[in-house]
Each structure stands twice: as C-alpha cells, then as structure tokens.
Amino acid sequence: MTSYHAPIPEMMFVLKELADLDGVSGLPGNEEATPDLIAAVLDEAAKVAQEVLAPLNQVGDQQGSRLVEDRVTTPDGWQDAYRTFIEGGWNSLAFAEQYGGQNLPWLIATAVQEMWHAANMSFGLCPMLTQGAVEALILHGSPELKDRFLPKMVSGEWTGTMNLTEPQAGSDLSAVRMKAMPEGDHYRLFGQKIFITYGDHDLTENIIHMVLARLPDAPEGTRGMSLFLVPKVLVDEHGGLSQRNDVRCVSLEHKLGIHASPTCVLAYGDNEGAVGYLIGEENRGLMYMFTMMNLARHAVGVEGLAIAERAYQQARSYARERVQGRPIGVGAGDRASICHHPDVQRMLMAMRANIDAMRALVYLWASALDKANKHPDREERERHSQLVEVLTPVVKGWCTETGNEIASLGIQVHGGMGYIEETGAAQHFRDARITTIYEGTTGIQANDLVGRKVLRDQGNAARALIAWMRATDVGDVAGLGRAVASSLTHLSDATDWLLDGGGKNPRLAASASDDYLRLWGVVTAGWLLAKSASAAERSLTDGDGDVEFLNGKIASARYFGTHVLPHSAALLRAITEGAEASLALHPELV
Amino acid sequence: MKILVPVKRVIDYNVKVRVRQDGSGVETVNVKMSMNPFDEIAVEEAIRLQEAGRAEEIVAISIGAPQCQETIRTALAMGADRGILVETEQDLEPLGVSKVLRECVDRESPDLVIMGKQAIDDDCNQTAQILAGLLDWPQGAFASTLKFSDGRVDVTREIDGGLETLSLLLPAVISADLRLNEPRYVKLPNIMKAKKKPLDTIPIEELGIDVAPRVSTIKVEEPPARSGGIMVASVEELVDKLKNDAKVI
C-alpha cells in the first residue's frame, strides 16, 4: 500500500506567490480567510486525506463498489470515511453561510480538493458531484426547493448526482430522450440515464439527482431540455423522508479505473414514474448545466493535478529505495538507488515540474473565480471572469492530459514492478485515464476553447489575456523570461491564424483545436513558472524561506522552460501548417 | 471541574530534524511545527470529560514565542474553551515550565492539570512530575485510563511491569500516555470558531519568577552514521565478535 503526504509547503507557495492569496483574502466576504486560518484548514484537511482517505484507495480499487439487487454497496471502510468527512464539515467548505456552508474561497476549496483526489480519487468524486448539484440548486432552484433540499446537501447528509448522458446522447446532449410529464405541482420522469457517478450508494439515506429531460411539447434539440430534481427517497415539506421514488440502479459499469466510484445505469419510471421537481424554467436545462460547467471542469482539472502528485510521490519514494546498478561514470563501489541514474532523475524532474505547472494553473483559475465573483471593482470582475472562461477548457484539457502522462511516467520509473498491480502505480494510471474523458473529452474542451472562447468574441478575451501575460514582469531567472516572451508570440500567432484564416474553415479550426489547447496550457504554465522562479529567487535573496525548497522551485521552472515550453514552437507549426495534414485522407479511409 | 491543559509547540513529527550548522541546537526556522502529540491526547481527554459532563471549562496554556498561539488555537479548535499564552523567547527547561505552570494554577485554580507525558522534541518527561511536586499535589504519570468519582480519580498507569492503578485525590496532575485515547479530527467549523475564542497573553516577566536555565548546552551534533553490518560464518564467530570487538558481552 502506498501513502500520501499532502504537499502543504508547495501548496502554500503557489497560493501566496502565484494565486494572490492575499488578494483573495482581502475580497469582501472573505475576511475570515486569514493566512493562519488557511494554514490550520490545510493542516487538518491533510490529516483526513492522509489518515482516512488515502489508506482506502487501494482497497477501493480492489473491491470496487458492488450492485446487490438494486442497491449499491461501497467498499469496506467507505461508510466510516464518509461519516468522518461530513462530520468534519468538509463538504460545506466553499458554500455560502446562508445555506450552512463555511463560505471559504474557492481557492482554498481547490487546495483541499487536490488533497481529497490525491488521497483517493474514487472517494473525492462523491463530494465533487454533490458540489455540482448544490450549485445548480443555489443558482436556479426555487426558494421552496432550496429550503427543502439544500441544507442536507450542503452538509453532505445527502449527496447529489448529475444525470445528463443517455446511451444515444453522450457528447451530443441534443439527443436526450428522457421524458417528463407534468402532474400537479411536480412531474413524472420516464427513461434511462447512464454513466451516473455515485448514482446509488450506501453512504447516505438519500441521493438527490439532477436530471435533464424533455417535456411532452418541448422543441427538438438542445433548446428543449429542462432540469429536474429527483430525490431517491421522497421528501415531505418538513424535510422528512417518505417513500422510495421510482428510480433504481439497474447496473454498474465495469471500468478501467476508479473502481470504487459506482458508475450507475439509472432507470426512471419503471412503474408509476419518478417524481421530479422543475429547476428554474422549462426548456432552459442545458443552459443551467453550462453555468455549473466551469466549476465541474475545473474540478476535473484538479484531479489531473492530484493524481499526478500521488503518482509522483509513489515513484519518488520507490526510486529512492530501489537499488539497481552503479551510477553512470562510476565503475566500482556500492550499487545505488535508481534515483541516481540520470534517466530516472529526468523522469522524476519531469513529474515534479509538470506538477508545479499544473498546480499553478489550477490555483490561478480558482483565484480568478473568487475575484470574478467578489471583487468590488466591476472591471476587475469582468477581467477575471474572462480569464476563467478562456482558461476553463485549458485547465480541464491540459491538466488531465498531463496528469495521464505523469501517471504513465510513474509506472515507467518503477520499471517492471510498476506493471504489477500490487505495487499500486498502475492504479493511478488507470484512475487518471477517465479524467480526459468525462465532463467533456479533451476534444470537446478544445472545441469549446476555439469556438466559444476565441472565435465567438473575435479573440477579444484571448488577446486580452495574452496581453496581460505579456505585460507582467516575470523576471528572467534561468532565461525563463525570454523563453516565455517567445512562447507568448507563438500563442499570439496561433490565435491570429485562427481568427484570420483557419477559423473561417470550421473543419480546419476543429482539426487544430487540440494543439491550440495544448499551446495555451504550455504557455500559461510556463508563464506562471517563470513567475514562480522569480518569486523563489527573491525569497532566496531576502534570506526568507527554506533554501532547498526555493532552489527546487527554480530547478523545476528551469526544467519546464527547457523541456516543455519549447513545444510552443512545434505546436504553432502543427496548428498553422499541420491542421490540413490531419484531414488529408477521406474520414472513412483514415 | 476545571481543567488546565498545557500544550507545547514542537517540530512536527513528520519532519526530519536537522542540526543547525553552528551546532547550537536543531533547526527550527522554516520547519513545520505542531502540537506535541502527547499533549493532543491530553486535550482530547479533557474534551471527553467535558462532553461527559464532568468538566465545565478547559483552559489550554502554552509557553513560548507568539507563534505558540497557533498551537493554542489547535487546542481551541479541538474543543478547549479559552487559551493563555505565557510569552517568552527564551527556551525553558522543565523546571522553568513547571514554575510558570504553578503560577498559572494559582491564578486559575483548576481541579485537574493534564498534559502529555513528554514532548517529542526533548523527550524530558519531567514537567508533570515537577509541577506536582511544586504544587504538592498527587500525580499520575503515564495514564492510560482515567476514572473519576467523588473528588477522586483512579489513574491506570503504564509502567515497566504492566499496569498500575492509583487512586488520587483531586486536585491532581496527570500525564497522558499514548493509549489514553485517540485524538479526534478537528472539524472545519470549529477551526473557524476557534479564532473567536478568548486567548490571553501574559509576558513571562509579569509572573516574576526565576526561569533561568540550570543546564547549558555545549554542542548539538548528529548521531554518528550507522556503519555497515558484517556477515559472520558461525555462532562461535558471532560470540567472539560480541566479546572482543563490540565488547558488549
């Protein structure tokens, strides 16, 4: 079994130096979020992650959740862990005080979420889905529905799910067929939903499903979908539980990874129809889904970071212990642990540098979300809201693709032992694999970036963000300032290509979109790590901070600047000269 | 019953302790600090007594630099009612600590003082015993179970030969051993509430006591690195080596 140790100094460094923790603490409503409180919160969350959740990760993978008749049983220890989790108040961390939340910034929620997912991603998914359902209800639900359902969902006494996908409606939600028939003050729902994470489980006595369905007279396509709240067990006006609703788990998927997270097929309305309550207005369901999408996609980006961190910790400790061969250039003497071999050292450095890069990007996004929500100045709110919009698909797409690469490197560091399941490295690789798929595949993220975030506003938001990065003084530690400047030019050129030529041909733009998303990831992360290296050097000069730690920050930025950031030139070329090459053959002959 | 719980800020148990370059002590700058784990057990026990209706008030007390407030806040987040920081930049020895605590006992008049059996930094294991001596109170060190009844506490102690149970008259001083309880996870809302609980600071000078160290540290150094082991061919050779090389038998 492998352990997890929450990297709090790394987190604090990014929070303070790159994600403007002081600025976020200073926002109206965030007065409580002082640095000493945040340190205490991270310390206590770390204990729960390390001691309660992490030890269940492997047993969860091996046992998986099981379906017995129409009830899902979670792995051994899951119920106790969930109780510890909600009794600790962790479920309500970022929600508003008026609903029983702790009202802490999303920036802090993000750091804490990183711990949950790194400790045990299958577990972390449960509160993550609840968070989405809570957001939907807060933003669009009626006061009555909020009163009846929110308090227990905020506390975590009840969990939430998101029901979008149907067998014929995956990435294309316009094909959703689930029916909702009006009946008095509620609706009756009929149909089947698939891929419902934690659609059923034994952790809580009720589960609140958010379900996309069509009314009988609804228009075709995406404009004809409404959002419904469907409880597993019906709830009376006083919040008491009454009878089982007509919704059942009929099957669990057999998956490559995240075995402990039950992925359910839910059957609605096999008998009298499942009672559901309309959220907001009719036919606006998909739009409501979009309002929660940024947070949900960011949360999956956090998973990419988190699983990479876990894979790195495991690879690092193995590489320090496993003795094999003598160091290169030394013919005789003692054998060395494999971390002394340059190629293994390179892999660990690649893991470390990419993790620093992902953490910077993921935290920056959360900081921008807090400012977009709470900054007193309207222009600042808009600027940060633009950043959130442009970077959401980048955080989701780039951090999950990179998370997969890092989890794969984690196995490579182990050599043959990594391929053996008992070692535990393979689980991270398998668990990571879903992150580039759910909550919109990387392809969907890339389309979102190119179509909605760049072409739709003629590149205004993207260009403003590039200009902002250009105008920031990132210093020039280890030549990073110059490297970032030329990479920003590549990003700017690729954006121009999309806006001036490529974007006019939608197939060409779509073909270039994946490389364009990666370009954004590499350049924004490189820009952040240049800042990181400057901040570390400043602290070294001031004699303020742990020298070894700060040197580590500079070294990882330097690795990123020389090994990853230069990809920007190749990506630019792939976009401007290679988009056509991908489409050279007839689609059915590829 | 009112309970006083002394808590010490120490280098976190996960940190690999390093000796300062000049040999004057161990490195504490930029090192993660947290509450002495045995003190955490003491705080937990006090809270359980309060939850069981046996204690009205729990006062957490720490002695040291202003950063010790964080340690007190941890105790407050666990459930202590208020905190006292006796502020000093000086390193105190157990005798000094006990004298400070005696002053605080005089001011607070608790019925019980409970603390960790030792701190994981210097491992002295003296403060509870000296304090009991200074106060002339009964003491129960290395407690693994406490049972309270009218004005008395039965303390089960972990001693070399097994378990020993003492019946003490209150007020008393108790030191907590590892198996007394398992401290709870701090709840997020309680971390937030802890910020609002009262925490008084008393400059150590105000107490007017002599806390000057009685011991001077000449030099601190790393323990010698373990040299590699050797394989022996026979029992005879092993005995010979133990006798003549290691000189342990």
Side-chain angles (χ1 to χ4, degrees):
Chain A
M1 195 173 71
T2 68
S3 63
Y4 165 66
H5 188 71
I8 292 179
E10 311 281 340
M11 294 173 156
M12 286 306 287
F13 181 84
V14 178
L15 288 173
K16 283 186 183 152
E17 303 292 349
L18 304 175
D20 189 22
L21 177 61
D22 285 346
V24 170
S25 296
L27 293 171
N30 286 359
E31 292 80 7
E32 300 240 5
T34 52
D36 57 332
L37 178 100
I38 285 156
V41 168
L42 295 187
D43 274 352
E44 294 304 328
K47 283 186 197 160
V48 176
Q50 291 162 185
E51 296 166 19
V52 179
L53 303 184
L56 295 178
N57 195 41
Q58 198 166 23
V59 68
D61 182 57
Q62 286 161 354
Q63 281 186 8
S65 280
R66 287 144 296 168
L67 180 67
V68 183
E69 291 176 12
D70 63 353
R71 282 165 199 277
V72 172
T73 314
T74 51
D76 295 348
W78 235 243
Q79 288 185 328
D80 286 343
Y82 188 78
R83 198 173 308 122
T84 304
F85 182 82
I86 64 165
E87 282 178 1
W90 297 106
N91 198 66
S92 65
L93 190 140
F95 299 129
E97 239 164 342
Q98 64 188 112
Y99 306 115
Q102 301 301 323
N103 198 33
L104 285 170
W106 282 108
L107 180 57
I108 305 312
T110 298
V112 172
Q113 269 172 5
E114 182 195 325
M115 294 187 202
W116 308 147
H117 287 307
N120 191 332
M121 188 170 125
S122 285
F123 183 93
L125 279 165
C126 186
M128 179 177 135
L129 267 295
T130 305
Q131 173 192 308
V134 166
E135 282 291 306
L137 199 49
I138 288 178
L139 288 172
H140 308 294
S142 67
E144 293 79 6
L145 283 182
K146 285 186 196 176
D147 283 351
R148 210 191 308 177
F149 293 97
L150 260 185
K152 291 201 169 171
M153 294 173 75
V154 166
S155 70
E157 283 163 272
W158 298 345
T159 64
T161 71
M162 288 293 168
N163 292 234
L164 284 75
T165 308
E166 295 176 14
Q168 77 292 346
S171 293
D172 177 14
L173 288 169
S174 65
V176 159
R177 280 193 205 134
M178 170 85 92
K179 280 262 162 279
M181 314 297 282
E183 185 188 271
D185 65 345
H186 59 263
Y187 296 78
R188 293 270 178 190
L189 277 79
F190 300 88
Q192 195 181 69
K193 289 287 180 183
I194 62 168
F195 295 171
I196 310 309
T197 302
Y198 279 91
D200 194 60
H201 58 75
D202 54 4
L203 304 178
T204 56
E205 54 184 8
N206 207 359
I207 302 170
I208 309 303
H209 306 292
M210 295 286 161
V211 186
L212 271 188
R214 287 180 186 285
L215 292 163
D217 54 353
E220 286 288 301
T222 54
R223 288 168 200 282
M225 268 172 296
S226 306
L227 184 62
F228 297 89
L229 182 156
V230 184
K232 172 181 170 180
V233 183
L234 294 173
V235 178
D236 63 32
E237 302 87 75
H238 314 294
L241 294 179
S242 56
Q243 81 229 46
R244 262 302 282 270
N245 204 354
D246 186 11
V247 48
R248 267 163 198 88
C249 176
V250 293
S251 169
L252 280 187
E253 306 296 351
H254 302 271
K255 309 188 295 290
L256 177 67
I258 53 167
H259 291 158
S261 164
T263 304
C264 302
V265 177
L266 291 185
Y268 289 83
D270 275 356
N271 302 305
E272 68 282 0
V275 171
Y277 308 96
L278 182 68
I279 304 251
E281 293 170 28
E282 291 179 355
N283 298 330
R284 293 174 70 84
L286 200 62
M287 207 199 77
Y288 297 156
M289 282 288 172
F290 268 102
T291 57
M292 304 172 300
M293 200 124 45
N294 283 342
L295 263 177
R297 290 183 167 175
H298 174 257
V300 179
V302 174
E303 290 179 350
L305 158 67
I307 206 90
E309 171 69 38
R310 184 73 187 264
Y312 165 62
Q313 289 191 11
Q314 177 159 1
R316 184 181 58 186
S317 74
Y318 183 79
R320 285 176 186 172
E321 277 169 21
R322 170 74 172 169
V323 174
Q324 201 72 181
R326 294 186 174 84
I328 286 180
V330 181
D334 288 344
R335 288 171 199 283
S337 52
I338 60 170
C339 64
H340 292 279
H341 300 314
D343 188 56
V344 174
Q345 193 176 351
R346 169 195 66 80
M347 288 191 277
L348 292 173
M349 198 66 197
M351 297 177 91
R352 178 185 175 127
N354 277 292
I355 288 165
D356 279 355
M358 284 188 274
R359 186 172 289 122
L361 185 56
V362 158
Y363 288 18
L364 172 77
W365 184 99
S367 163
L369 180 70
D370 283 320
K371 290 176 182 173
N373 287 342
K374 292 184 174 169
H375 203 286
D377 184 62
R378 194 172 61 93
E379 265 181 40
E380 282 294 298
R381 282 201 303 276
E382 272 169 18
R383 194 167 70 80
H384 286 101
S385 169
Q386 273 190 343
L387 186 152
V388 164
E389 290 298 328
V390 175
L391 289 187
T392 297
V394 180
V395 165
K396 202 285 182 182
W398 188 74
C399 291
T400 59
E401 291 288 346
T402 307
N404 269 276
E405 286 171 27
I406 301 306
S408 177
L409 269 180
I411 292 182
Q412 193 69 19
V413 168
H414 285 77
M417 289 308 291
Y419 200 67
I420 307 291
E421 281 290 353
E422 285 86 338
T423 310
Q427 187 194 343
H428 308 316
F429 180 63
R430 289 185 288 99
D431 285 353
R433 197 62 193 84
I434 186 62
T435 59
T436 62
I437 298 170
Y438 60 17
E439 214 43 61
T441 61
T442 308
I444 295 282
Q445 305 304 322
N447 270 337
D448 178 52
L449 176 66
V450 167
R452 288 199 194 84
K453 308 297 166 64
V454 175
L455 293 179
R456 187 181 278 180
D457 77 343
Q458 285 85 47
N460 285 335
R463 280 176 170 153
L465 187 48
I466 294 169
W468 177 57
M469 289 195 276
R470 268 218 178 100
T472 313
D473 178 13
V474 296
D476 196 25
V477 178
L480 278 157
R482 280 164 288 163
V484 167
S486 72
S487 290
L488 277 167
T489 304
H490 300 146
L491 178 58
S492 172
D493 290 351
T495 307
D496 289 346
W497 177 85
L498 271 176
L499 289 158
D500 298 340
K504 302 227 162 54
N505 177 347
R507 275 180 58 78
L508 215 52
S511 151
S513 63
D514 179 80
D515 285 322
Y516 186 64
L517 181 144
R518 286 169 200 266
L519 179 58
W520 266 98
V522 164
V523 176
T524 45
W527 172 76
L528 282 161
L529 289 193
K531 281 173 85 172
S532 168
S534 290
E537 193 171 75
R538 205 165 45 240
S539 295
L540 281 172
T541 315
D542 296 347
D544 167 26
D546 184 332
V547 173
E548 202 175 282
F549 175 86
L550 295 167
N551 281 333
K553 287 287 143 207
I554 293 174
S556 93
R558 190 172 151 214
Y559 176 92
F560 198 89
T562 47
H563 286 253
V564 187
L565 194 52
H567 291 186
S568 65
L571 288 164
L572 172 64
R573 191 160 168 222
I575 293 163
T576 56
E577 296 175 34
E580 268 178 322
S582 309
L583 307 177
L585 293 175
H586 185 279
E588 290 178 14
L589 294 176
V590 180
Chain B
M1 187 163 72
K2 178 172 176 178
I3 305 178
L4 194 69
V5 191
V7 292
K8 186 174 183 185
R9 182 172 185 263
V10 298
I11 295 179
D12 187 83
Y13 66 95
N14 278 310
V15 172
K16 191 177 178 296
V17 177
R18 284 184 294 197
V19 173
R20 269 192 223 129
Q21 295 238 313
D22 63 3
S24 63
V26 297
E27 191 58 76
T28 52
V29 179
N30 296 312
V31 170
K32 181 172 164 46
M33 308 291 281
S34 53
M35 190 193 294
N36 174 36
F38 288 110
D39 294 341
E40 235 178 304
I41 295 172
V43 176
E44 175 68 31
E45 194 65 17
I47 298 164
R48 290 186 187 189
L49 288 169
Q50 193 176 45
E51 286 169 347
R54 292 203 169 272
E56 286 80 46
E57 192 184 25
I58 302 167
V59 183
I61 177 166
S62 194
I63 307 164
Q67 293 91 323
C68 292
Q69 288 189 8
E70 292 163 23
T71 312
I72 298 174
R73 292 279 175 216
T74 305
L76 298 177
M78 287 176 75
D81 299 296
R82 62 186 173 91
I84 299 171
L85 169 64
V86 178
E87 199 177 315
T88 174
E89 292 292 343
Q90 202 184 331
D91 274 341
L92 298 195
E93 290 165 3
L95 177 61
V97 172
S98 303
K99 286 179 172 177
V100 171
L101 291 177
R102 181 183 57 184
E103 283 301 311
C104 296
V105 167
D106 284 350
R107 292 176 176 212
E108 295 287 336
S109 319
D111 306 280
L112 182 70
V113 179
I114 180 165
M115 67 184 89
K117 67 168 180 177
Q118 66 199 72
I120 61 166
D121 49 3
D122 54 22
D123 280 330
C124 278
N125 183 2
Q126 295 169 12
T127 301
Q129 295 87 333
I130 297 176
L131 176 64
L134 292 177
L135 289 167
D136 198 21
W137 282 10
Q139 58 170 294
F142 324 128
S144 63
T145 316
L146 301 182
K147 271 199 196 117
F148 287 82
S149 54
D150 305 332
R152 301 191 79 89
V153 56
D154 290 347
V155 182
T156 304
R157 312 172 58 221
E158 301 197 354
I159 57 172
D160 287 346
L163 298 177
E164 177 188 56
T165 303
L166 302 177
S167 184
L168 312 183
L169 265 176
L170 293 173
V173 179
I174 287 170
S175 79
D177 211 327
L178 190 64
R179 277 159 286 273
L180 182 58
N181 60 52
E182 215 175 297
R184 66 195 58 200
Y185 292 106
V186 173
K187 295 177 165 64
L188 177 61
N190 294 348
I191 300 174
M192 321 273 286
K193 281 179 204 148
K195 282 188 74 173
K196 300 191 176 83
K197 291 185 177 177
L199 199 171
D200 296 327
T201 299
I202 306 172
I204 198 163
E205 299 74 29
E206 207 177 273
L207 299 178
I209 48 176
D210 171 21
V211 291
R214 303 292 202 265
V215 178
S216 58
T217 300
I218 298 161
K219 195 170 155 204
V220 175
E221 54 191 17
E222 299 265 358
R226 195 171 156 270
S227 51
I230 48 161
M231 295 292 285
V232 290
S234 64
V235 174
E236 289 73 26
E237 194 189 341
L238 173 67
V239 172
D240 176 63
K241 295 249 178 237
L242 290 173
K243 222 175 226 164
N244 300 316
D245 291 0
K247 299 191 168 62
V248 291
I249 55 173

